[in-house]
Amino acid sequence: MKNRRFTGLKLAITALSFLLAGVALAAGGGGEVKTNPGALTGKHFHPKGKLPSKYIIAAQKQQRKMLPFSDKRDFAEQKKGFIAAPDYKQIKAEAGNVAWDMGSYEWLLKGKDFDSIHPSLQRQAILNMNYGLYEVIPGIYQIRGFDLANITFIKSKTGWIIFDPLTTKETAAAALKFINEKLGKRPVVAVVYSHSHADHFGGVRGVASLEDVNSGKIKIIAPVGFMENAVAENVYAGNAMNRRLFYQYGVLLTRGPFGHVDQSIGKNVAAGNVGLIPPTVIIKKNIEEMIVDGIKMVFQNTPGTEAPAEMNTYFPDLKAFWAAENITGTIHNIYTLRGALVRDALEWSKQINVALYKFGQKSDVMFASHSWPRWGNKRVQEVMRAQRDTYANLNNGVLRLANQGVTINQIHNQYKVPKSLQQQWAARSYHGSVEHNSRAVINRYLGYWDANPATLIPLSPEDSAPLYVEMMGGSRKIMRKGRSLYKKGKYRYAQEILNKLVYAQPKNQKAKDLLADVFEQIGYQQESPSVRNSFLAGALELRSGIPSGASPKSSGPDMIQAMSTELFLDFLGIRLDSNKADGKEFKINLVTPDNKEKFVLELSNGTLTNIKGYQAKDADLTVTINRSDLEKTMMGAISLDDQIKSGKARLKGNKKVLAQLKTMMVQFDVGFEILPGTGAKDLTPEKKPFQQEDLGDTAGG
């Protein structure tokens, strides 16, 4: 990594008097939104890009015949309650970049069917073009189309109760300003975080100040486990998650019919300042009732569903049910392609069932943090049952096949959603996909191994590929067969052999270009934008290498402050280069007096471990530093050396131990190579030795 200066990216810290550069990584973000000017004329954005083949065109036509396009209820519900839209389509970030650009997708509203987009996905992409202020019912309002998620405003006795304040400060502030302009200015009295993903809390500083929260003017309400999971879920593999996000979210794809069209639960993720104010009220019980500023709410904790910490909310006086991100306009991810722990499809189904029987049978409207509301008790129950049954069938149907011997490497080609569910839009898999979710269920219960000893300790692809290429008769023969399969529309067969060739010969650009052509056609067929984006992003990198210009990702001071010291020390253990540490041993006592914590860090056997609440009597070094000062080092604002020089950090013992530890730390770069021959890029600025690496982006679940 090189030292580079990123100017203009400033994020204010209220609790600490310094600035840290930071801007959220988002699809197409980072100040430049790339839109295909030839979207409506069929011109591809890439010089090597291909139009949909006759096989793709035929497949898309077949989908238009098979799917229930005559059911237009979602479109009526999507429009219902519209009050006003702003006269702008872009929202600028404080840093000067474009935080949000709804106008970059307006080509979707021109009435043209695109054969490069699955018809069902194009339908979903149009539904997600909601933009502006909507009334759900009198007293409940949403602003949609300002970010990946919706921001919801409940009119309370004296002000606004806000549910899920979007991803960034800028988009949340714009939403609050707009609703106050249209409906009259009201103070914010409470903010509810429905769950622990960044697009549901990151914009809190745009609607609430730390001073008002600390004074009690604004309550921050969240489910039990929120703070732990808001940070912990994205620390250990954060750098890898952010690189994989380039694929799932099509971060660098041009917006247009051959590139990024939608993100299933919304258009995209905003690129601005991400913050976090800790909750002041924690919902701990499974079902818990609370009155906030005259509004009665019944919270339903649903851990183990879409997020490790998540809750639904019922408004009994309004007969309104808030489904958080547990019931939206899509079947969600059981496994998120950017990386996350595999979720429990059965538990998700059971929690929807609890909501159905406890609240759904008496609700007149259901609304959520994504998509659009559903009105009428019959409609509410219909959607709840469709999603309950889809998640339950995914779990049960996959395990039924697994118990008959179907493996993780076969399940995605055998498991099918029941036909009755396939004909319900609420049961379509946009954010998830049937294929990768079915594999996830087996992975949850049986792991990654298919029980064939040949796959238990396989060769790495770069080692096995040359053998395959040799046995198949060399690159010319593979290319000839690959072209033949491509021309016949047998794209998955073509990718099987061409992928081997690219791994064996990563500098063979003709092979990479042909594999890119194959990936592109597969991508055009996908109903799930996450899967579509992954294939199209792979094609882009095979053709052009890893693009430069990805926006720098910073976790931001609020996220660092929320990280426990133990979590920080755990991650130091991940960053430790075992080869450099081999043969070295030491113990370090760490004391943080202001929060009365103490730890032992021990290096032995090439491994760095820590334990909280202990001190080693034979420690080689004791480091004493206030947690508030350690945070500045974790953020990279002040190096540990400078903390020592200023007396903020005090050392007792062998100071060389600390110098040794510095040399053993690996720094991660988000520009690592995913596909062979695409060329690793330096996309991450240099960090100080003990600066916390960037957290993964959990926006979108």
Side-chain angles (χ1 to χ4, degrees):
M1 287 176 291
K2 312 179 194 95
N3 284 311
R4 278 183 276 174
R5 186 181 177 190
F6 291 89
T7 58
L9 306 178
K10 294 184 178 179
L11 211 169
I13 302 171
T14 304
L16 300 174
S17 57
F18 61 88
L19 295 173
L20 176 69
V23 57
L25 180 65
E32 180 186 2
V33 175
K34 296 179 180 178
T35 305
N36 180 7
L40 293 173
T41 61
K43 186 178 180 181
H44 202 290
F45 68 86
H46 195 281
K48 292 182 179 179
K50 301 295 187 296
L51 301 182
S53 71
K54 62 181 181 181
Y55 302 102
I56 301 301
I57 293 171
Q60 310 295 43
K61 286 181 178 178
Q62 184 65 17
Q63 290 294 331
R64 292 186 187 105
K65 292 177 182 177
M66 290 170 53
L67 292 171
F69 284 99
S70 60
D71 181 357
K72 299 186 182 297
R73 288 177 295 170
D74 284 331
F75 285 97
E77 291 166 331
Q78 177 234 25
K79 296 173 184 176
K80 186 174 179 178
F82 175 73
I83 296 173
D87 58 5
Y88 54 83
K89 294 292 175 69
Q90 285 189 343
I91 299 171
K92 286 292 187 77
E94 290 178 347
N97 62 291
V98 176
W100 183 252
D101 187 355
M102 198 64 169
S104 62
Y105 295 99
E106 289 205 325
W107 50 271
L108 280 162
L109 301 178
K110 303 300 182 181
K112 180 179 173 62
D113 288 336
F114 297 99
D115 289 322
S116 56
I117 308 172
H118 191 292
S120 176
L121 173 56
Q122 183 170 339
R123 175 188 178 277
Q124 183 78 354
I126 293 169
L127 284 165
N128 280 331
M129 290 299 289
N130 265 344
Y131 185 61
L133 173 62
Y134 295 78
E135 181 184 72
V136 178
I137 56 173
I140 299 180
Y141 305 90
Q142 289 189 316
I143 286 185
R144 303 178 205 140
F146 273 43
D147 207 322
L148 185 68
N150 303 326
I151 182 170
T152 299
F153 296 84
I154 313 295
K155 192 175 184 179
S156 62
K157 184 177 180 181
T158 65
W160 294 122
I161 299 171
I162 293 177
F163 274 66
D164 289 0
L166 307 181
T167 313
T168 71
K169 175 183 178 182
E170 294 89 340
T171 52
L176 178 60
K177 182 173 183 286
F178 188 64
I179 194 172
N180 280 337
E181 287 173 354
K182 296 301 176 184
L183 300 183
K185 189 172 183 179
R186 300 172 68 84
V188 176
V189 298
V191 176
V192 178
Y193 301 147
S194 71
H195 63 286
S196 54
H197 291 147
D199 51 324
H200 301 268
F201 64 78
V204 64
R205 287 185 180 267
V207 299
S209 69
L210 191 62
E211 291 82 1
D212 283 348
V213 173
N214 288 340
S215 70
K217 287 183 180 179
I218 299 177
K219 289 183 171 68
I220 306 286
I221 304 168
V224 64
F226 171 84
M227 281 300 287
E228 176 189 352
N229 289 293
V231 179
E233 191 180 6
N234 53 358
V235 172
Y236 296 142
N239 191 66
M241 285 171 63
N242 285 333
R243 177 67 176 99
R244 291 160 67 106
L245 196 76
F246 282 35
Y247 278 54
Q248 182 188 350
Y249 275 61
V251 167
L252 299 176
L253 288 175
T254 296
R255 297 175 183 182
F258 302 105
H260 194 278
V261 302
D262 197 59
Q263 208 52 55
S264 70
I265 52 174
K267 296 314 298 178
N268 220 311
V269 185
N273 292 330
V274 180
L276 173 61
I277 297 178
T280 56
V281 179
I282 300 296
I283 305 302
K284 296 179 180 179
K285 299 176 184 176
N286 290 341
I287 303 292
E288 189 166 332
E289 186 176 307
M290 180 182 298
I291 297 175
V292 178
D293 197 35
I295 299 296
K296 183 185 290 186
M297 297 179 281
V298 181
F299 298 105
Q300 176 199 359
N301 264 313
T302 63
T305 53
E306 191 271 337
E310 187 151 0
M311 63 185 185
N312 300 325
T313 307
Y314 180 61
F315 299 86
D317 296 335
L318 301 172
K319 293 186 177 180
F321 177 66
W322 160 265
E325 200 169 328
N326 287 320
I327 307 171
T328 61
T330 173
I331 295 302
H332 215 288
N333 293 301
I334 299 304
Y335 163 61
T336 304
L337 296 180
R338 61 160 164 77
L341 296 177
V342 172
R343 293 157 186 165
D344 188 340
L346 184 59
E347 178 63 18
W348 201 326
S349 172
K350 286 178 178 292
Q351 291 288 3
I352 293 175
N353 214 14
V354 170
L356 170 63
Y357 277 86
K358 197 165 188 67
F359 310 119
Q361 295 182 2
K362 51 189 176 183
S363 294
D364 291 334
V365 64
M366 177 172 64
F367 60 113
S369 57
H370 295 279
S371 310
W372 49 92
R374 274 72 176 224
W375 285 270
N377 185 256
K378 183 179 178 181
R379 175 68 163 152
V380 168
Q381 291 198 51
E382 174 195 341
V383 173
M384 293 180 85
R385 281 190 170 86
Q387 295 219 351
R388 176 199 66 183
D389 294 347
T390 305
Y391 288 115
N393 191 274
L394 178 66
N395 183 86
N396 300 343
V398 166
L399 290 179
R400 173 176 53 80
L401 291 169
N403 279 308
Q404 293 174 316
V406 179
T407 72
I408 194 169
N409 294 321
Q410 299 165 322
I411 190 65
H412 53 289
N413 294 316
Q414 294 198 32
Y415 171 74
K416 304 294 180 188
V417 175
K419 289 182 179 179
S420 58
L421 288 170
Q422 290 181 30
Q423 291 297 308
Q424 298 186 56
W425 290 118
R428 301 300 298 185
S429 293
Y430 300 106
H431 210 37
S433 77
V434 176
E435 291 81 6
H436 79 259
N437 275 346
S438 61
R439 287 167 63 87
V441 172
I442 288 190
N443 189 43
R444 178 177 180 85
Y445 289 97
L446 296 175
Y448 63 87
W449 185 41
D450 64 359
N452 181 340
T455 65
L456 186 55
I457 45 173
L459 290 169
S460 297
E462 61 269 25
D463 295 326
S464 64
L467 176 63
Y468 280 96
V469 170
E470 179 187 353
M471 296 301 292
M472 284 189 282
S475 61
R476 288 185 181 179
K477 191 171 182 180
I478 295 172
M479 288 289 288
R480 188 162 56 247
K481 183 64 174 177
R483 289 192 187 98
S484 173
L485 291 168
Y486 178 84
K487 289 177 181 177
K488 294 176 182 177
K490 295 183 176 181
Y491 303 118
R492 290 176 67 192
Y493 288 88
Q495 81 170 347
E496 188 74 14
I497 60 172
L498 291 170
N499 190 54
K500 295 286 193 294
L501 178 55
V502 169
Y503 265 101
Q505 299 178 5
K507 294 182 180 180
N508 186 335
Q509 190 59 48
K510 288 183 179 179
K512 288 189 288 185
D513 285 345
L514 183 53
L515 181 57
D517 291 347
V518 169
F519 278 178
E520 188 170 55
Q521 298 298 320
I522 295 173
Y524 290 159
Q525 295 181 73
Q526 302 307 310
E527 186 176 26
S528 164
S530 295
V531 179
R532 171 192 170 92
N533 291 341
S534 297
F535 278 100
L536 297 186
L540 177 64
E541 293 189 4
L542 284 167
R543 287 166 173 162
S544 304
I546 300 172
S548 299
S551 54
K553 170 72 172 67
S554 175
S555 303
D558 288 346
M559 297 297 285
I560 297 297
Q561 285 178 293
M563 183 185 296
S564 70
T565 308
E566 184 175 14
L567 199 57
F568 167 66
L569 297 177
D570 284 345
F571 194 74
L572 286 184
I574 292 170
R575 287 180 55 201
L576 184 87
D577 186 331
S578 293
N579 293 323
K580 292 181 179 178
D582 195 33
K584 298 181 176 66
E585 294 184 355
F586 55 69
K587 294 177 185 175
I588 299 175
N589 284 335
L590 174 64
V591 182
T592 53
D594 58 343
N595 66 350
K596 297 181 174 61
E597 287 186 335
K598 54 187 179 180
F599 297 86
V600 180
L601 281 78
E602 184 171 355
L603 179 71
S604 61
N605 300 308
T607 305
L608 186 66
T609 60
N610 72 82
I611 184 169
K612 184 179 179 180
Y614 291 85
Q615 295 280 269
K617 294 180 180 179
D618 57 344
D620 298 279
L621 176 67
T622 297
V623 179
T624 303
I625 181 173
N626 281 331
R627 162 68 199 211
S628 58
D629 291 316
L630 179 61
E631 285 168 4
K632 299 175 186 179
T633 295
M634 292 162 64
M635 293 174 191
I638 305 175
S639 70
L640 187 57
D641 286 341
D642 287 339
Q643 299 274 32
I644 294 167
K645 288 176 185 177
S646 68
K648 297 285 187 181
R650 301 186 300 279
L651 306 185
K652 182 181 178 182
N654 184 2
K655 298 178 182 180
K656 292 181 180 179
V657 166
L658 205 56
Q660 272 187 321
L661 185 58
K662 281 185 196 176
T663 66
M664 300 173 189
M665 290 292 109
V666 173
Q667 290 198 6
F668 300 131
D669 196 298
V670 77
F672 62 80
E673 196 176 70
I674 290 178
L675 293 170
T678 52
K681 288 282 181 70
D682 175 12
L683 298 179
T684 304
E686 190 76 21
K687 289 181 169 60
K688 295 180 175 67
F690 295 110
Q691 181 178 349
Q692 172 60 36
E693 295 277 352
D694 295 322
L695 278 62
D697 190 339
T698 59

